[in-house]
Amino acid sequence: MSDVIRGVLFDIDDTLFDYTSAERAGLLGTLAAEGLVAVFPSPEEAVALWRGIMEEEYARFLVGELTFEEQRLVRVSRFLGRTVGEEEATAWFAGYSALVNAAWSAFPDAAPVLEALAPRYRLGVVSNSTLAHQLDKLTALGLLAHFGEAAIVCSSEYGQAKPYPGIFLEGCARLGLPPEQVAFVGDKYDVDALGARDAGLRPFWLDRSGGAAGQGAGAPVDEGVTVIGSLEELVAELDAVSWRRSGHGRAG
């Protein structure tokens, strides 16, 4: 694989945007407003249940079994443990979404790293979501200007979701670069890192928890993936590649 990297594609949720924290705040706020906190053994178990249901139903959306709106409604019924009518479920999810949106925040390293990379790399996004939803999010977070709408590929509109190669290759095409000259950064090992690798991109697995297979950030992991603990470490890794390519890293 060539050492030349000219473009970087990013996942959004839990990579640039702190989705997990916003989701937790939205759910617990909704339970408090509905008087449902005591229904669950603990707040953490409620969050874990909601997250598990979301993963299952969102996977059905990604393969086309449910629309984006339908998966939201199904999640409410499953979480509450009873059949919920469309009107009630829509109102419940609207309240939840408003609280989630109020808690939206980018990770502290997102904007500085994008600003540092923009002069040297073509930047884009590949996301398993809808374009409208992610554009709203990037706009609210002040990150959209680093990409531009043309460089954002979302599974709902493209018709294929990560980890399938086509959506990664579409991201590369939007940057006008071959996959071997593009890095991909995401928080999910199988969906993001291995998916990008199998499509021919340079994969970086962002593991902010620091628990990636017991290895330190920056160390190579299985299947040719590099794990990083922060976006700052991505900059360091890309700089190291450029430094080696310049000839400074060659043995004498």
Side-chain angles (χ1 to χ4, degrees):
M1 180 181 290
S2 170
D3 278 343
V4 179
I5 297 178
R6 293 194 169 94
V8 185
L9 292 169
F10 291 87
D11 170 59
I12 295 179
D13 294 344
D14 282 329
T15 296
L16 300 174
F17 160 63
D18 190 354
Y19 174 83
T20 295
S21 294
E23 177 190 56
R24 185 180 190 279
L27 179 65
L28 296 184
T30 301
L31 293 181
E34 298 286 335
L36 296 175
V37 174
V39 172
F40 299 91
S42 71
E44 294 310 315
E45 289 187 55
V47 171
L49 175 62
W50 177 253
R51 191 66 187 265
I53 292 171
M54 182 277 290
E55 294 285 356
E56 292 175 5
E57 299 303 332
Y58 202 78
R60 295 177 65 196
F61 154 67
L62 291 177
V63 298
E65 291 182 14
L66 299 173
T67 67
F68 189 71
E69 292 74 20
E70 286 171 344
Q71 60 88 24
R72 287 183 161 190
L73 302 185
V74 172
R75 286 160 58 188
V76 175
S77 290
R78 287 190 59 190
F79 181 69
L80 296 180
R82 59 183 175 85
T83 301
V84 176
E86 183 175 348
E87 183 176 345
E88 180 186 356
T90 299
W92 197 97
F93 214 101
Y96 162 77
S97 295
L99 292 173
V100 170
N101 294 356
W104 275 359
S105 65
F107 285 106
D109 56 2
V113 165
L114 293 175
E115 290 168 5
L117 295 179
R120 297 181 289 156
Y121 299 93
R122 303 176 195 178
L123 304 181
V125 164
V126 174
S127 174
N128 281 354
S129 186
T130 66
L131 181 61
H133 184 61
Q134 297 299 55
L135 287 178
D136 286 347
K137 189 181 297 176
L138 290 172
T139 299
L141 298 174
L143 302 179
L144 182 60
H146 297 295
F147 306 106
E149 185 173 342
I152 298 173
V153 183
C154 290
S155 59
S156 185
E157 288 71 25
Y158 179 69
Q160 189 179 57
K162 297 178 294 183
Y164 295 102
I167 192 168
F168 291 101
L169 297 178
E170 176 64 18
C172 295
R174 299 284 184 94
L175 299 183
L177 295 170
E180 63 270 17
Q181 293 183 5
V182 179
F184 186 85
V185 187
D187 67 293
K188 290 183 169 58
Y189 184 69
D190 52 351
V191 171
D192 292 320
L194 296 187
R197 180 214 61 184
D198 291 347
L201 288 73
R202 185 76 59 88
F204 289 85
W205 177 28
L206 177 59
D207 175 39
R208 292 184 183 274
S209 71
Q215 301 196 46
V221 295
D222 292 343
E223 311 294 346
V225 174
T226 298
V227 59
I228 54 175
S230 69
L231 293 178
E232 287 99 337
E233 291 172 15
L234 170 68
V235 178
E237 288 289 329
L238 294 176
D239 285 346
V241 170
S242 297
W243 188 76
R244 289 195 299 271
R245 181 172 172 266
S246 70
H248 292 94
R250 294 174 184 166

